[in-house]
Amino acid sequence: MLYIGSHTVKELAKSRETRVTIVDNFCGGDFDSISVLQKLFEVGKFEFVLLDLSEFKKLEELFRESHFDAIIHFAAHLQVGESVQNPLKYYRNNTMNTINLIDMALKYGVNYFIFSSSAAVYGEPIEIPISETHPKKPINPYGLSKWMSEQILQDATNSNPNFKYVALRYFNVAGASSDGSLGESHTPETHLIPLIAQSALGKRQSIVVFGDDYDTFDGSCIRDYIHIEDLALAHIKALEYLANNNPSDSFNCGYGHGYSVFEVIEMVKKISGVDFKVNIAPRREGDPAQLVANNHKIVTQMGWKPHYDDLEKICKSAWEWEKL
Ligand SMILES: NC(=O)c1ccc[n+]([C@@H]2O[C@H](COP(=O)([O-])OP(=O)(O)OC[C@H]3O[C@@H](n4cnc5c(N)ncnc54)[C@H](O)[C@@H]3O)[C@@H](O)[C@H]2O)c1
């Protein structure tokens, strides 16, 4: 449902001058958020184009006929496990289609490019919190597809100094908008907080915890959950950063501290008042014990200030959305 993209477009709509064109093939979900977003813009300032980024000729037609100042590129496949089973699907969609977009940017003079990267570029962390200089050793094709895209963006910048990019390395994105208009839904849903909320609602029989024997305080994995509205704001900051003539770079997006899977489950139980079933399964391959961002760089260089750094707020917004 273009989860992160929808919330970012909602944030962009706060500036009345902004015109937005959304391109999506809806392989990741439904059309619900498009009608919500359309209402936020004046007539003529919002366009939706149903298009697969691999359709090069149609993509080129769009760029030839439009004048874009910036590209914010969210489109990707994002299931780590599937990327191990079907790596070419990931390299084709996440890396090759990113090349298509960079190609359009260079050819049609779109000089600002914001890229949705991931903590998966780091692989198994050797230090926590993880800073941007941490070695990049992805342990699955999803992470590698993102890291390759970042390197291609760097090469594109080197060859064309007018073209500049920001890669935002998201940690675990979660939650819904505070006004309840947009939430999180993926097809299929694989993200922890919606899955827990669905368990509390009885839409799932139980929540499965993959591994309770990690070297963490309660044995479950620790992740840095960032509220979707704080992440949406990071994209606006990234556009400002580029417009202020700063150099291309990559930035972590997280709060700098994490919560365990059991802590998140307990929080949703508290908020919902429902004591749902929790099953323990063996560890999944490639799940590091901890993924926590060092966010110093985005805070100091972009002036990004989070407003929802609170697990209760994140889970509450997700719960309210899931109940609708
Ligand atoms: N959600 C997270 O926690 C998280 C964490 C790290 C990185 N990311 C990255 O953030 C980005 C957005 O993630 P999301 O959670 O919003 O996922 P999402 O599935 O909600 O959004 C991705 C959108 O891309 C579209 N898409 C995919 N391939 C396309 C193609 N070839 N042509 C046109 N549209 C296409 C899908 O239909 C979907 O609407 C992805 O690049 C993902 O890898 C997400």
Side-chain angles (χ1 to χ4, degrees), residues 1-5 23-29 51-54 74-78 93 97 116-118 142 146 170-173 185-186 191:
M1 195 213 45
L2 72 155
Y3 171 46
I4 302 167
V23 174
D24 201 294
N25 65 355
F26 282 102
C27 66
L51 185 68
D52 189 301
L53 294 179
S54 66
F74 302 97
H77 294 315
L78 44 144
N93 197 30
N97 288 340
S116 296
S117 191
S118 164
Y142 169 71
K146 293 287 181 182
Y170 312 154
F171 280 63
N172 284 58
V173 190
S185 96
H186 295 99
H191 290 196

Side-chain angles (χ1 to χ4, degrees), residues 115 128 130 163 170 220 227 274 302:
F115 176 63
I128 295 287
I130 304 171
F163 175 76
Y170 312 154
S220 66
H227 190 279
V274 183
M302 283 192 196

Side-chain angles (χ1 to χ4, degrees), residues 110-153:
V110 186
N111 287 333
Y112 302 154
F113 197 105
I114 314 290
F115 176 63
S116 296
S117 191
S118 164
V121 301
Y122 298 114
E124 188 70 48
I126 55 171
E127 64 183 15
I128 295 287
I130 304 171
S131 66
E132 288 83 355
T133 52
H134 183 286
K136 267 60 82 184
K137 291 192 176 164
I139 51 176
N140 49 60
Y142 169 71
L144 187 53
S145 73
K146 293 287 181 182
W147 177 228
M148 283 167 28
S149 300
E150 282 198 36
Q151 291 177 294
I152 294 164
L153 281 164

Side-chain angles (χ1 to χ4, degrees), residues 205-280:
Q205 289 192 330
S206 64
I207 183 76
V208 181
V209 176
F210 294 98
D212 64 351
D213 55 354
Y214 284 95
D215 185 16
T216 57
F217 75 96
D218 66 6
S220 66
C221 287
I222 291 177
R223 295 288 180 268
D224 189 336
Y225 294 94
I226 173 172
H227 190 279
I228 183 66
E229 291 189 318
D230 280 335
L231 183 64
L233 187 63
H235 295 78
I236 312 300
K237 289 285 177 190
L239 286 171
E240 288 168 10
Y241 169 91
L242 290 179
N244 288 334
N245 215 13
N246 288 299
S248 297
D249 210 341
S250 301
F251 295 85
N252 285 340
C253 296
Y255 291 142
H257 57 87
Y259 294 97
S260 76
V261 174
F262 287 132
E263 282 181 306
V264 180
I265 291 173
E266 283 313 309
M267 182 58 78
V268 178
K269 282 189 175 178
K270 184 182 127 185
I271 290 165
S272 65
V274 183
D275 187 14
F276 48 88
K277 202 168 162 199
V278 178
N279 286 328
I280 310 296

